[in-house]
Structure formats: structure tokens, C-alpha cells
Amino acid sequence: MAEEELRTSPVLPPEDRPEWRYLKSIPRSLASDRHPIIVGHRGARGLAPENTLAAFRVAADLGIDGVEFDVQRTTDGALVVFHDDDLDRTTNGHGPIYEKTLAEVQALDAGSAFDPAFAGERVPTLRETLDYLQTTNLLLFIELKDPWRFPGMEAEVVTLIRELGLVERTQIRSFYHAALHLVCHIAPEIALSELWWDRLPGDDEVIYKTVNAFFPFCTPEAVAQIHARGQEITAWTVNELDDARALIAAGIDGLTTDYPDRLLTLFAP
């Protein structure tokens, strides 16, 4: 099968879709009753090296509602928290992360590229990340990166979430919706969200209860339409206060941001 076909996100025919009544909405925040919830992008990537334990610690200390982070797999089968295909931008390594062993990846400096103060910060495994997040009040928004490249990733992620008792605090998301269909089949108790980068789904494409989209698409009209069909909608990546204010006024359900400290000012007493 061609690589492009592997990436295809099929719209399931109505007869193959999961029963709506059993699908989960966005997990309820343990940190606040804010609406919308504030989610730190890759931890809090404007404030600390993205997708590192340092970024998750910053997010937890801020008291935001949740963190978003990305999962891939190394060549020897370890699930790691990392966004890019290549190591070059955020570490002192080079080449695709999925061609490296876990030992090679964790020998790298994943902090200095952001700021020398974070020198020595490592690329964490998914287990290390979940072990830390388990000690916080943060919700977990886990993005499966390129799951077509990593057969079996979905089941491995689900196993860890269940093992650590994080089902009620987790939403799994992906741009590759076939991976979500698989997660729904093996773990219907976990909340799911489709990611959309170029448009919003039409009424005939509604499958799960959360849509996560690039924020310019989240107009008041679009938010109202999505709410009218029983879905919630969250937006990425919202870094400017004027954009956040407009989305809040439109009724958005969640804001993903590099700078959660900024957005928190909109909810100051």
C-alpha cells in the first residue's frame, strides 16, 4: 500500500460508526471550572522546551487545565514524547527520531535549543511523561503522530493509559482519523478528538464528540453549528489575547496555547 494511502483518514459510513451515546466528551478539568479550558501546547512550549518534563512542570505550576503532547516510537519500539520527524530543531541530534534507538534519543540535549538554562533536559518516554502527569491535576491530550508509520501504537498507548489509571483524564487525538477509529474499537472508554488543519468537518462527517481545529476556522458561526450538532470544539494554537477573546466570545470549549500564562490573565479575578 502506498504511503499516501496509509495516511488517508476515512470517513466511516454511518453503519460503521460508534454509537453516539457511548462516546466521551472532553474530560472534566480537575484544576478549574473555566470555560473554555486552557491547554498548554506541547506542555508550555513558549515557556520551556516543548514536550519535555520541564514544560509539563511549568504547566502544572501555572494551574492550567491540561497539556497537549505528541507520541512517536523509536526504532527499537519505545514510545517517546516528541513532535517533529527530525531531531534537529529541538535537540543536538540529527535525522529522524524513528530511525534512532531510545538510548540514542535520550543521550541528546533537548533543552539548550530553547534556552541554555534548560541544558540537559531529555526527550521523555511516554511512560516517564505519564508517571509525572499522574502526580498533577492536568488533563492529558495525547496526539498520535503519524500512526500509519507505527503499527500497534494505538494499543500500546491505551495499555499505558489504563495501567496508570488515567482514562478519565485523557483525550486521544490525531490528524489520521483511522487511528481514532481503532482506539474507539479497542478502548471505547477513552475520549477522542479529530484534528483538522485545513477545514472543519461537515455535518455528514460527524463521528466523535470533539473537533480540534486551527483557530482561524473557529468563527462564531462555525462554533454555533458544531455545538448545534452536539459536539464540542477546541482551537489551536492561540497565542494572542485578542484572538483568545474572540474565541471565548464565540463559545469555544478549549484553547490550546504556547503561552498559557498569557491566557490565564483573561480569567484573573
Side-chain angles (χ1 to χ4, degrees):
M1 184 178 292
E3 182 177 286
E4 197 57 41
E5 290 176 305
L6 285 170
R7 300 189 199 187
T8 299
S9 295
V11 175
L12 292 177
E15 63 271 18
D16 292 338
R17 296 179 187 181
E19 285 195 57
W20 186 258
R21 60 180 170 157
Y22 294 123
L23 295 174
K24 305 297 184 182
S25 300
I26 299 171
R28 184 177 180 85
S29 176
L30 301 177
S32 79
D33 58 0
R34 276 185 291 264
H35 189 277
I37 60 171
I38 298 176
V39 178
H41 187 214
R42 304 180 200 165
R45 71 184 294 259
L47 306 174
E50 64 181 59
N51 281 333
T52 65
L53 294 184
F56 300 131
R57 286 192 291 267
V58 168
D61 289 344
L62 285 171
I64 60 175
D65 302 287
V67 285
E68 179 270 354
F69 54 94
D70 310 277
V71 177
Q72 301 193 55
R73 191 194 275 154
T74 61
T75 191
D76 53 346
L79 294 173
V80 290
V81 175
F82 198 78
H83 177 269
D84 295 3
D85 287 349
D86 292 332
L87 294 159
D88 302 58
R89 181 177 63 86
T90 60
T91 79
N92 60 339
H94 304 285
I97 189 169
Y98 50 81
E99 293 181 356
K100 309 295 184 182
T101 66
L102 177 61
E104 289 173 325
V105 169
Q106 292 208 305
L108 300 174
D109 180 347
S112 294
F114 180 87
D115 189 295
F118 292 97
E121 198 69 30
R122 296 185 309 152
V123 174
T125 65
L126 178 60
R127 179 177 284 276
E128 289 170 336
T129 300
L130 297 185
D131 280 342
Y132 170 70
L133 293 175
Q134 190 181 40
T135 70
T136 74
N137 285 328
L138 292 165
L139 301 179
L140 287 57
F141 297 89
I142 302 176
E143 181 177 346
L144 304 181
K145 292 293 294 184
D146 298 345
W148 51 270
R149 182 179 278 134
F150 308 114
M153 169 199 273
E154 299 90 346
E156 292 176 40
V157 172
V158 164
T159 295
L160 269 179
I161 292 169
R162 286 172 168 167
E163 177 186 331
L164 296 175
L166 293 168
V167 167
E168 297 301 320
R169 290 168 54 185
T170 298
Q171 185 181 77
I172 292 178
R173 46 180 56 178
S174 186
F175 286 103
Y176 302 101
H177 303 161
L180 300 181
H181 306 333
L182 179 55
V183 173
C184 186
H185 177 71
I186 62 178
E189 74 275 21
I190 296 178
L192 302 172
S193 176
E194 297 174 0
L195 293 177
W196 297 83
W197 69 273
D198 59 344
R199 64 184 180 88
L200 293 175
D203 290 351
D204 61 338
E205 297 174 299
V206 172
I207 296 179
Y208 301 110
K209 288 190 175 176
T210 308
V211 172
N212 185 260
F214 186 35
F215 80 88
F217 293 111
C218 302
T219 63
E221 296 76 17
V223 171
Q225 180 182 10
I226 286 171
H227 283 164
R229 63 196 190 199
Q231 291 180 296
E232 295 172 310
I233 180 168
T234 59
W236 54 273
T237 302
V238 185
N239 290 334
E240 302 303 326
L241 290 180
D242 286 346
D243 293 326
R245 290 189 186 97
L247 289 160
I248 292 169
I252 202 79
D253 298 297
L255 296 170
T256 300
T257 179
D258 296 333
Y259 298 95
D261 55 332
R262 293 181 189 172
L263 269 58
L264 282 173
T265 65
L266 298 177
F267 297 90

